[in-house]
Structures are given as structure tokens and as C-alpha cells.
């Protein structure tokens, strides 16, 4: 996979936001995929045809019946001063070094570790229009909605 730097990445400002700056020690662990690599990852793991979650087709796994089994709310925790993930998003069987991919759309996919995502989840959710969190070699997935809710499922 090819990556771009956070300074090159068009959404990189979310990690430098003055109200929620990411510690320098974690910045190197936040790796936006190049546009070509993001598209390749999206096509292989999310959808072969849809470019965004709002365009999923019936045969795309995120739109199939039975994928999403648990709902929760993230907005109140995001607005609070508490750094912890909202209840229901703690995947206890994911190790700290598990590679995760936060997929906004076919051009915007970020790779990081579960430990870094847990610490910076609020930054990732500055863009909350249906992103999907996938752990490498993990069945659990999360999908975030702009109404402040999320779904947990298995893929």
C-alpha cells in the first residue's frame, strides 16, 4: 500500500485541530492511503462499485440483512470531555497493535492501530457521513452515522 503524509492529505486538518490536537507520538501512526491505494482497499473490502456508503447496492456486504446487530450512540461521548470510546465500541478482543482501517469513502481511507484509534477517535469522527471501521483479520466492524449513532456488525 502507498500512503500520503498527513500534510498532503486533504482531511489531515482533523488531526491538527486546535481543540483536539493529536499528540506528536501518535501522528506517525495515522497513515492516509494514497488515492489509488484507498480505492483498491475500498474495492477489495467495502464495495466493488459504490464510491460512498450512501451508494451501496444490495450485493454490497454493508447493505445486506443480518450484518448489523447492535446499535449505540457516539455523539454525546464525542461532545464530552471524556476521551473514552462510547460504550459498545470497545472491541476487547482487538489487541492494541491490531491494524484498523477507517474508511470514509473510496478515496479516503486511513490506516492506524487500534490503540491510536481509541485515543484519537474523536478526530476521526469530524467526518461522520457513514464511515466504516474495519480491523485487519477481525470480523467485527463499526459504521458511524451523522445522526450520532453507530452500528456494530460482523463482516
Amino acid at each position: 500500500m502507498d500512503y500520503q503524509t498527513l500534510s498532503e492529505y486533504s482531511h489531515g486538518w482533523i488531526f491538527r485541530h486546535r481543540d483536539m490536537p493529536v499528540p506528536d507520538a501518535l501522528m506517525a501512526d495515522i497513515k492516509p492511503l494514497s488515492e489509488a491505494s484507498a480505492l483498491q482497499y475500498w474495492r477489495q473490502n467495502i464495495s466493488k462499485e459504490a464510491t460512498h456508503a450512501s451508494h451501496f447496492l444490495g450485493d454490497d456486504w454493508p447493505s445486506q440483512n443480518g450484518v448489523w446487530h447492535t446499535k449505540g450512540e457516539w455523539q454525546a461521548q464525542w461532545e464530552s470531555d471524556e476521551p473514552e470510546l462510547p460504550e459498545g465500541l470497545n472491541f476487547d478482543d482487538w489487541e492494541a497493535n491490531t491494524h484498523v482501517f477507517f474508511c470514509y469513502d473510496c478515496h479516503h481511507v486511513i490506516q492506524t492501530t487500534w490503540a491510536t484509534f481509541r485515543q484519537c477517535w474523536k478526530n476521526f469522527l469530524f467526518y461522520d457521513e457513514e464511515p466504516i471501521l474495519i480491523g485487519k483479520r477481525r470480523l467485527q466492524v463499526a459504521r458511524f452515522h451523522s445522526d450520532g449513532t453507530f452500528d456494530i456488525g460482523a463482516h
Side-chain angles (χ1 to χ4, degrees):
M1 277 187 224
D2 292 325
Y3 304 94
Q4 54 186 309
T5 65
L6 279 173
S7 60
E8 296 170 328
Y9 183 54
S10 62
H11 296 347
W13 67 269
I14 64 178
F15 303 104
R16 296 183 299 272
H17 193 278
R18 72 173 191 264
D19 293 333
M20 280 191 259
V22 172
D24 289 339
L26 298 179
M27 290 291 266
D29 196 34
I30 299 171
K31 302 173 183 175
L33 275 59
S34 68
E35 194 166 312
S37 289
L39 182 60
Q40 179 183 0
Y41 184 85
W42 182 272
R43 295 280 185 246
Q44 290 175 344
N45 296 282
I46 307 290
S47 174
K48 291 185 182 354
E49 295 182 38
T51 58
H52 184 271
S54 62
H55 304 135
F56 285 147
L57 304 172
D59 60 344
D60 292 324
W61 69 262
S63 65
Q64 294 177 356
N65 287 335
V67 170
W68 307 106
H69 53 73
T70 305
K71 288 194 168 292
E73 295 189 16
W74 62 265
Q75 189 73 45
Q77 186 70 11
W78 191 88
E79 292 172 351
S80 79
D81 292 332
E82 300 302 318
E84 290 81 25
L85 282 169
E87 189 172 323
L89 279 173
N90 280 322
F91 300 143
D92 295 331
D93 60 337
W94 289 16
E95 295 84 21
N97 64 350
T98 297
H99 286 271
V100 299
F101 294 87
F102 201 75
C103 308
Y104 295 102
D105 61 39
C106 71
H107 300 295
H108 298 279
V109 176
I110 298 177
Q111 178 185 334
T112 191
T113 62
W114 179 233
T116 297
F117 181 81
R118 282 192 325 247
Q119 292 179 57
C120 306
W121 72 273
K122 291 183 179 188
N123 298 83
F124 282 89
L125 281 173
F126 267 110
Y127 290 106
D128 61 3
E129 296 178 14
E130 306 298 312
I132 296 176
L133 173 69
I134 298 177
K136 188 174 183 177
R137 295 188 200 107
R138 300 295 187 270
L139 294 176
Q140 294 165 308
V141 293
R143 182 172 174 182
F144 300 87
H145 307 286
S146 57
D147 67 359
T149 64
F150 64 85
D151 297 319
I152 300 295
H155 122 34

